[in-house]
Amino acid sequence: MTNSTMFRRAVSCAERAVARLIADEVPPLPHNYEVWYTYFDGTKPALNAAIDQVLHRGGRFDCEGLEELYLAHIGGSDATERVEEISGRVAAEIAALAGAVQGSSGVAAEYTKRLVAASQRLSARPEPQEIVKLVSELIDATSVSQSKNRALEEQLAKSESELEALRQNLVEISREAITDPLTCLGNRRHFDCSLRESIESARQSGGELSLLIVDIDRFKAFNDSHGHVAGDQALKLVAKILRTVVRDADIACRYGGEEFAIILPATGLGEACRIGERLRVALQGREFVKRPTGEKLGRLSVSIGAAQLMADEAEQALIERADNCLYMAKAAGRNRLVSQADAGTALRSAIATVVAAAPPDLGEESVA
């Protein structure tokens, strides 16, 4: 394929990817764009199959769906290749070690055999010249054994250093696999695994567990008005403030798009709400400034849904209850926290808000 052909193909894929994002009204964030570009490029058949299955049912992909596709088919591929590379290097180190140990074992066995033979010859009271020859042979055997042992020690030291470096690489790969690259919080994969483990732990200990789901208010309008760079900065700001209010044991993740989730182990609903309120108030008091220009873009706010794990409740049910509380907070006017305890009040407030915003009833129009 010529450079000109490659260029035209890349431009075509890029144009089709952007057109798809515009048609679906999904912001062209890096991961969103990469999913559609890869789809039109056709380099990952499994990704295309997953997308086609949804499209054939008349479905579409939002930010959350594209993020899941990215993690499943693109984001993890580099990590898989790196793990395979490290696995090969570890296998090579093991083979080298095994060879060195085997060689050393062979030398040790031969050296032991010579010592036994020398002992037997000495017990027969040999002539002095024969003893001199025997000692010379033992000196040579000892020298060879020492040389092999030094080689083994050097190989062990080299392998120890190499294996430690590989271990550090694997730790880094594991960390990257569960981290959202933009906010540096846990990603959706980390959230799913952590919530499952936290629920299991709470059941075994009989302790409490609560969940907060946080959504940036009117984020799409903010993103459209000020651009995706400002939108990314807004997400980073929320993540930064979130990290200041959560405790060491809490697990903060980017749930998808402009949504965040906080798992609070050993925490009842009341304490969870206090933590959520600290986040809401802290963000509400921050003026958002566009870094490159210093332009003031106003203040951001968040709506929060809070729920506590019930007995024998599945993880998806807990998420849905927290999510329902979040939507009630949105419907009741945004910039507020709604928990399962005050969901009824929030629902009445949301209904009142909708009724107040409705046009007045002017009665039926007369027809002549």
Side-chain angles (χ1 to χ4, degrees):
M1 186 181 292
T2 65
N3 288 339
S4 176
T5 303
M6 291 173 63
F7 175 78
R8 288 196 301 271
R9 177 180 174 81
V11 169
S12 174
C13 291
E15 289 176 343
R16 295 170 74 187
V18 172
R20 182 75 203 201
L21 291 168
I22 292 172
D24 289 344
E25 296 184 347
V26 176
L29 301 175
H31 287 183
N32 298 344
Y33 168 80
E34 189 170 356
V35 168
W36 282 115
Y37 181 95
T38 305
Y39 173 79
F40 290 118
D41 195 33
T43 54
K44 293 188 180 296
L47 170 68
N48 284 44
I51 290 178
D52 288 340
Q53 185 177 11
V54 175
L55 295 181
H56 289 160
R57 297 198 305 264
R60 51 179 288 181
F61 294 95
D62 55 12
C63 278
E64 182 179 329
L66 291 173
E67 183 72 12
E68 290 178 357
L69 286 171
Y70 177 86
L71 291 173
H73 299 281
I74 300 175
S77 60
D78 291 341
T80 301
E81 291 173 2
R82 288 164 65 190
V83 169
E84 289 176 353
E85 177 194 353
I86 290 174
S87 178
R89 289 166 64 185
V90 169
E93 285 298 324
I94 291 173
L97 272 175
V101 170
Q102 186 176 9
S104 179
S105 299
V107 170
E110 180 62 28
Y111 186 57
T112 301
K113 182 179 178 181
R114 288 199 175 195
L115 289 175
V116 171
S119 177
Q120 291 172 347
R121 287 164 63 186
L122 285 172
S123 65
R125 297 182 179 180
E127 295 296 324
Q129 62 270 23
E130 189 175 351
I131 294 175
V132 171
K133 182 183 177 183
L134 182 61
V135 169
S136 297
E137 291 175 355
L138 288 177
I139 289 173
D140 291 341
T142 300
S143 178
V144 171
S145 179
Q146 288 176 335
S147 176
K148 290 292 185 179
N149 283 335
R150 279 195 298 271
L152 176 60
E153 289 175 1
E154 291 172 1
Q155 180 64 47
L156 287 171
K158 175 180 175 295
S159 294
E160 181 182 14
S161 175
E162 177 67 12
L163 290 172
E164 174 58 24
L166 294 175
R167 187 187 71 82
Q168 292 292 343
N169 284 340
L170 287 172
V171 169
E172 180 64 18
I173 291 171
S174 298
R175 187 193 66 79
E176 289 176 2
I178 61 172
T179 302
D180 174 63
L182 179 64
T183 63
C184 296
L185 297 174
N187 59 18
R188 178 63 180 270
R189 180 185 299 172
H190 184 50
F191 169 79
D192 290 339
C193 293
S194 298
L195 183 61
R196 194 175 306 118
E197 292 171 359
S198 298
I199 289 176
E200 184 62 28
S201 178
R203 284 176 178 155
Q204 290 178 357
S205 66
E208 297 174 312
L209 174 71
S210 293
L211 174 66
L212 299 176
I213 295 185
V214 181
D215 186 86
I216 302 176
D217 293 328
R218 298 185 175 88
F219 181 75
K220 185 179 184 304
F222 179 91
N223 215 33
D224 292 344
S225 298
H226 304 298
H228 299 300
V229 173
D232 286 352
Q233 289 181 19
L235 291 169
K236 290 178 182 178
L237 174 64
V238 173
K240 178 181 177 181
I241 295 176
L242 197 157
R243 279 191 289 268
T244 66
V245 301
V246 298
R247 306 159 304 181
D248 291 342
D250 300 333
I251 303 167
C253 301
R254 184 180 177 191
Y255 189 66
E258 67 271 22
E259 283 192 339
F260 300 82
I262 310 170
I263 303 169
L264 302 117
T267 304
L269 187 62
E271 180 60 22
C273 290
R274 283 189 285 273
I275 292 172
E277 272 297 298
R278 284 201 295 271
L279 169 63
R280 188 189 66 80
V281 172
L283 182 63
Q284 179 182 259
R286 296 289 292 271
E287 181 87 30
F288 189 75
V289 178
K290 195 172 185 177
R291 286 181 183 172
T293 63
E295 176 189 0
K296 292 185 177 181
L297 304 181
R299 300 181 188 276
L300 292 173
S301 67
V302 292
S303 297
I304 304 174
Q308 181 177 337
L309 181 68
M310 295 180 176
D312 300 323
E313 184 176 37
E315 58 194 76
Q316 192 57 42
L318 174 62
I319 293 172
E320 288 176 0
R321 287 197 299 110
D323 215 28
N324 288 337
C325 289
L326 168 65
Y327 283 112
M328 289 181 188
K330 292 280 191 185
R334 298 182 174 85
N335 190 23
R336 66 191 64 207
L337 182 149
V338 170
S339 74
Q340 64 190 52
D342 49 25
T345 303
L347 180 59
R348 288 191 293 273
S349 176
I351 293 172
T353 300
V354 172
V355 170
D361 184 4
L362 301 179
E364 296 181 356
E365 183 177 349
S366 300
V367 180

